[in-house]
Amino acid sequence: MPNNTADETFHLRGVPGTATLLSEPLRLQGEEDKFRYTLVAGVPGTSSINYDSVGNDSKKKPFQFTLEDAKGKLNQSQREFYEKNGFLVIPNLVSDELIDESKQRFLDIVNGDVDAGAILKMKDLSLKDRKGLPNERVYNKIQDFVWDDTLSKYVCLPEVLDYVECFTGPNIRAVHSMLINKPPDSGNRTSRHPLHQDLHYFPFRPADRIVAAWTAMEHIDDTNGCLVAQPGTHKGKLEQHDYPEWEKGVNKMYHGVRGAEDNPRVHLHMEKGDTVFFHPLIIHGSGTNISPNFRKAISCHYASSDCHYIDVSGTSQENIAKEVENIAARRGVDMDFMQLWQFRSRDVRGNQAML
């Protein structure tokens, strides 16, 4: 574990309540430290912190990844942190009531108690052919719920959008919605998610005006498969993605960056309602759920409505485009990659534009 130095600050999400333990002493810089970031240090089973810390001598530089925001949601220190690391955790952003309502809606959808409509239900690879299991055990994800009466409350939540606006600007489109239900692992380690960049899946640019909001629906740590991220990788390029060569297989459309496993990473331990915002180029993934319980999270990717579509033919994204189009065709949907993204998204704030 690196020692704290004069130019390093560990930000503890502890006002109110703490979700992580820090083995190193804190050097608080004043009132701005009431804005907390969740980073794990000194917790058994997590890696060392490897990230660019925010120092006292930080000079103001033009920001590339965040925007000036009239609501004042992000302070200078937070903007510097995201600029250097590519992610930022805001504690207690989403209420328990909305999370519990969303969790029940997920159960109602996978159990067939309500009409799923256009929502896509996805099964865990290792469990999809098992008989007699409860549906919560079999379905590991639902997605594309931007028009669902209940789940869209998260997508359109003002508390989330106020932060999203700091990254996308005032014209916001919700482009991809997911509720991830990481089940207790079956023993095949199919509950893990390979390290990847979300931009691999998106046929629109610029990348800097896209952001993910990912909210913990319960306590999340290494035991139940927390998010891991490689700080600073959002400054790199979009890497080639393929299915990892895992012995027991990998879930559908879970592509990954080969060789990324050897890079330094941080593990994000989060409490119910904590929300991490991250750049679409940051390399991230999640571990195996070795606990006896489910690990749920709800997320949505947002983009500026002023973003534009690109042709992914002949690029590293062509493989995922063809896979998505083929899956849609098997479901009787005749759309190309761009049309599918238009279909699954909606404007949530500001003026409609290119997307």
Side-chain angles (χ1 to χ4, degrees), residues 57-322:
D57 58 350
S58 296
K59 296 180 180 179
K60 290 187 178 181
K61 300 177 182 178
F63 288 105
Q64 177 180 347
F65 305 112
T66 61
L67 301 170
E68 293 295 336
D69 122 72
K71 297 182 179 66
K73 300 302 292 186
L74 298 182
N75 63 15
Q76 179 79 8
S77 182
Q78 288 174 307
R79 294 185 70 186
E80 289 173 355
F81 186 93
Y82 187 88
E83 192 80 12
K84 293 179 179 181
N85 296 289
F87 68 94
L88 180 69
V89 176
I90 305 298
N92 300 322
L93 185 62
V94 179
S95 70
D96 286 358
E97 292 77 15
L98 180 55
I99 289 173
D100 293 342
E101 186 180 7
S102 300
K103 187 179 295 186
Q104 185 58 54
R105 184 66 169 179
F106 168 81
L107 294 174
D108 290 342
I109 288 171
V110 299
N111 288 331
D113 296 332
V114 297
D115 182 10
I119 294 174
L120 179 62
K121 300 185 291 184
M122 304 178 71
K123 295 181 178 181
D124 184 275
L125 171 70
S126 66
L127 301 173
K128 63 184 181 67
D129 297 322
R130 296 267 192 97
K131 304 297 182 183
L133 293 176
N135 288 328
E136 186 182 16
R137 186 78 173 84
V138 176
Y139 287 97
N140 65 357
K141 184 194 294 187
I142 61 172
Q143 62 184 42
D144 304 333
F145 48 73
V146 294
W147 296 108
D148 182 78
D149 290 343
T150 299
L151 296 173
S152 65
K153 294 178 184 178
Y154 172 83
V155 173
C156 301
L157 190 66
E159 290 86 345
V160 171
L161 295 182
D162 285 348
Y163 279 100
V164 169
E165 192 169 329
C166 302
F167 307 100
T168 65
N171 302 322
I172 307 172
R173 190 168 180 88
V175 294
H176 186 40
S177 50
M178 298 184 293
L179 194 156
I180 306 105
N181 177 49
K182 189 187 283 283
D185 197 77
S186 64
N188 294 319
R189 301 189 69 192
T190 52
S191 64
R192 58 184 164 160
H193 197 299
L195 292 165
H196 64 285
Q197 298 164 298
D198 289 337
L199 192 66
H200 171 64
Y201 298 91
F202 301 152
F204 35 85
R205 301 291 189 273
D208 293 344
R209 299 286 76 83
I210 304 169
V211 70
W214 193 100
T215 300
M217 300 180 75
E218 51 220 321
H219 172 79
I220 294 177
D221 57 25
D222 286 272
T223 304
N224 58 7
C226 65
L227 280 181
V228 299
Q230 298 182 349
T233 50
H234 66 302
K235 298 177 184 178
K237 64 182 179 67
L238 179 60
E239 303 288 349
Q240 176 69 42
H241 286 62
D242 301 289
Y243 278 113
E245 295 177 349
W246 290 347
E247 182 180 353
K248 300 294 180 64
V250 62
N251 283 304
K252 204 68 176 171
M253 292 189 288
Y254 277 26
H255 294 191
V257 179
R258 295 192 179 180
E261 296 83 0
D262 300 327
N263 298 332
R265 69 187 74 177
V266 294
H267 295 226
L268 301 185
H269 290 194
M270 301 168 68
E271 292 297 330
K272 184 178 182 180
D274 291 356
T275 302
V276 58
F277 295 90
F278 56 89
H279 191 280
L281 276 174
I282 193 169
I283 297 176
H284 67 288
S286 64
T288 305
N289 182 3
I290 60 174
S291 80
N293 304 310
F294 298 95
R295 189 230 72 184
K296 291 181 175 65
I298 188 169
S299 74
C300 186
H301 283 84
Y302 301 90
S304 167
S305 300
D306 300 316
C307 286
H308 60 275
Y309 285 97
I310 63 168
D311 182 2
V312 300
S313 301
T315 73
S316 65
Q317 293 180 259
E318 187 172 19
N319 61 347
I320 188 61
K322 289 182 176 178

Side-chain angles (χ1 to χ4, degrees), residues 1 12 18-24 39-44 46 49 269:
M1 175 64 60
L12 175 66
T18 59
T20 59
L21 300 175
L22 296 181
S23 62
E24 303 292 337
L39 286 174
V40 177
V43 179
T46 66
I49 287 188
H269 290 194

